[in-house]
Amino acid sequence: MKKILLFGLVTLMGIAVNAQDYKSIKNLISLRQMQKARVDVDKQMNNSVFTSKPEAYMLKAVIYATLSMEEATKNTPAGDRLADEGDAAFKKFKGMDAAMNLLSDPVYQNGPINLYSYYYASGYNDYSVKKWEPAYAKLIKAVAYSDLLIEMKLLTAAIDTNVLI
């Protein structure tokens, strides 16, 4: 009986610590401390308990997408790498949670929005300097994210607000 009780206690402690990891990284995102959030999420990505839930990949997607849109990395090879890692994390998230319920949370909505923005702006810049193949690849991703944003109704509030103005 003591062994079962001890096992249950250890399991509950593990779950509580794991849930706190998600919450602490999400709080860093809310506070716009992306570099610190990146360090924390990268540390946790080696933890199989952390990566067993789709929220881990959503956190990574949001962080990397936001970092790709910063002025220092926008339209640079570093920005491309950040966006591509964010895109890979978002695809992994979609594979784990087809309903994408986490997108109802405003903190997580910025992930696909920033990925769309990055791929559109970067694709347009490549197109402007006649880098056809990279521009095409980025704009295809931008269209896919645009379709997702419309389907999930993440942009309708902004569109409706602009119509009223």
Side-chain angles (χ1 to χ4, degrees):
M1 182 65 176
K2 287 182 182 180
K3 288 181 183 179
I4 293 173
L5 191 58
L6 181 63
F7 177 74
L9 181 63
V10 170
T11 304
L12 284 174
M13 287 175 52
I15 291 170
V17 168
N18 188 36
Q20 202 161 27
D21 291 338
Y22 295 127
K23 187 178 249 183
S24 65
I25 295 171
K26 187 176 175 183
N27 287 341
L28 289 172
I29 293 171
S30 296
L31 296 172
R32 309 290 299 160
Q33 295 180 357
M34 292 301 167
Q35 292 297 340
K36 189 171 181 182
R38 179 182 181 187
V39 170
D40 288 355
V41 82
D42 286 344
K43 282 182 196 174
Q44 291 297 328
M45 291 308 281
N46 295 325
N47 180 349
S48 62
V49 175
F50 183 79
T51 57
S52 66
K53 294 187 179 175
E55 189 168 9
Y57 294 99
M58 178 50 84
L59 286 167
K60 184 173 181 175
V62 170
I63 293 165
Y64 278 74
T66 303
L67 288 172
S68 72
M69 289 298 295
E70 290 183 343
E71 288 302 318
T73 56
K74 194 186 253 187
N75 298 321
T76 66
D80 287 343
R81 283 190 300 276
L82 288 166
D84 289 342
E85 279 199 55
D87 180 47
F90 190 77
K91 286 178 182 172
K92 181 76 172 175
F93 160 74
K94 275 185 11 180
M96 294 175 79
D97 181 15
M100 294 184 278
N101 294 324
L102 288 176
L103 288 180
S104 63
D105 188 328
V107 172
Y108 295 138
Q109 290 174 357
N110 288 331
I113 291 171
N114 282 334
L115 286 169
Y116 161 75
S117 297
Y118 183 84
Y119 284 124
Y120 179 80
S122 184
Y124 181 79
N125 286 339
D126 286 348
Y127 175 81
S128 296
V129 294
K130 299 182 182 182
K131 294 182 183 176
W132 309 120
E133 289 182 31
Y136 178 73
K138 290 174 184 174
L139 290 172
I140 287 293
K141 288 182 180 183
V143 168
Y145 277 105
S146 173
D147 291 345
L148 173 78
L149 295 172
I150 292 168
E151 176 187 333
M152 298 298 293
K153 297 182 174 86
L154 296 178
L155 295 180
T156 55
I159 292 170
D160 291 343
T161 306
N162 289 333
V163 171
L164 295 175
I165 293 176

